[in-house]
Amino acid sequence: MKWEKVTQEFYQNLKFDADGLLPAVIQEAETGEVLMLAYMNPESLEKTLETAQTWFYSRSRQELWHKGETSGHFQDVEGIYYDCDGDTLLLKVRQTGEACHEGYHSCFFRELDESGKTKIVSDRPVNLAVVLAEVFKVIKQRQKDRPEGSYTSYLFNEGQDKILKKVGEEAAETIIASKNKDQAEVSYEMSDLFYHCLVLLAHHDLTPEDIARELNKRR
């Protein structure tokens, strides 16, 4: 998305600090994962709007920088938001590669554990919404390309009855695992159930976000 024409109202609603900067939170559009925090001045914001890729202002180097220019890990901007006070930006992006210069997908890879110590989490924190979104992305690609040897392709090729049969089988196996009071078995079987439910969503041209919206209405 490119913003060829931006009204003055947009800029007037923003409150740059004394140094002419705004903090910008960068979030993965598809999963909601927070990737990084950087700063923008009016010029970097304008270039972001013009190119639909993130540009920031480096406080240490005192110059503009284009995210991904040296690494190739560009951020394609899907949406730009600002908060109620107009002093913070939120950019939803599609991240190519990793956002963090240390090789992690997100810059927020350090966690304060229960003992008060800092630990390095694996490539990224395990977040169910993030994982489901990534698995669903692969499922949709398989639905489109139907590669040979793919179990997901097989399900789509067989059609709705086969998908429904697998959902029923995995639900039954989850019930049995629960009756057996085996936590590892419940986790394993429920993971299979989640996967087949995602395939069923794709079959009906629905997404996990549709489920999230429905559940949100019930809260």
Side-chain angles (χ1 to χ4, degrees):
M1 179 185 296
K2 291 187 179 181
W3 292 265
E4 297 179 356
K5 184 178 181 180
V6 179
T7 65
Q8 279 301 117
E9 179 190 13
F10 170 71
Y11 291 105
Q12 290 170 355
N13 286 332
L14 300 180
K15 298 176 183 177
F16 293 89
D17 66 16
D19 296 318
L21 301 175
L22 276 178
V25 178
I26 311 302
Q27 181 184 44
E28 187 87 65
E30 193 164 359
T31 66
E33 182 178 12
V34 176
L35 300 177
M36 58 182 286
L37 172 72
Y39 287 84
M40 289 184 165
N41 65 1
E43 186 179 356
S44 66
L45 176 56
E46 186 173 341
K47 292 185 76 68
T48 297
L49 292 166
E50 289 176 354
T51 64
Q53 289 189 335
T54 54
W55 285 75
F56 303 111
Y57 182 81
S58 170
R59 294 174 297 170
S60 58
R61 300 192 305 271
Q62 296 190 338
E63 64 181 15
L64 298 185
W65 61 285
H66 182 194
K67 176 66 176 174
E69 186 172 21
T70 57
S71 66
H73 295 175
F74 295 102
Q75 293 173 340
D76 295 311
V77 181
E78 296 278 313
I80 298 177
Y81 307 79
Y82 55 92
D83 71 345
C84 52
D85 293 324
D87 58 6
T88 305
L89 292 168
L90 170 66
L91 280 73
K92 295 187 178 183
V93 306
R94 292 194 178 274
Q95 174 71 51
T96 299
E98 316 304 341
C100 180
H101 71 282
E102 293 190 27
Y104 293 86
H105 190 69
S106 168
C107 292
F108 298 96
F109 60 87
R110 295 182 180 89
E111 180 182 4
L112 183 67
D113 65 19
E114 294 179 354
S115 69
K117 296 180 180 179
T118 298
K119 68 177 182 180
I120 304 297
V121 298
S122 56
D123 184 45
R124 67 183 77 177
V126 178
N127 179 293
L128 179 60
V130 171
V131 173
L132 289 178
E134 292 178 344
V135 172
F136 188 73
K137 183 177 180 180
V138 175
I139 288 172
K140 290 296 291 183
Q141 197 64 46
R142 295 288 191 272
Q143 184 184 30
K144 177 183 177 183
D145 298 338
R146 307 291 173 97
E148 291 286 338
S150 164
Y151 175 68
T152 306
S153 297
Y154 162 75
L155 289 176
F156 284 123
N157 289 336
E158 289 294 306
Q160 184 184 42
D161 286 348
K162 183 65 175 180
I163 296 170
L164 291 174
K165 181 181 178 183
K166 291 302 298 182
V167 170
E169 288 176 358
E170 299 303 339
E173 289 175 9
T174 299
I175 291 170
I176 293 170
S178 178
K179 295 292 287 184
N180 290 339
K181 303 185 187 307
D182 186 326
Q183 286 187 328
E185 189 180 353
V186 170
S187 177
Y188 184 88
E189 297 299 345
M190 192 165 287
S191 296
D192 281 346
L193 178 58
F194 276 27
Y195 159 76
H196 286 91
C197 286
L198 290 175
V199 173
L200 184 60
L201 282 177
H203 172 78
H204 287 289
D205 200 26
L206 292 167
T207 70
E209 287 72 28
D210 292 309
I211 305 303
R213 280 191 288 269
E214 179 60 33
L215 288 173
N216 188 56
K217 289 190 295 186
R218 303 183 188 186
R219 287 199 297 183

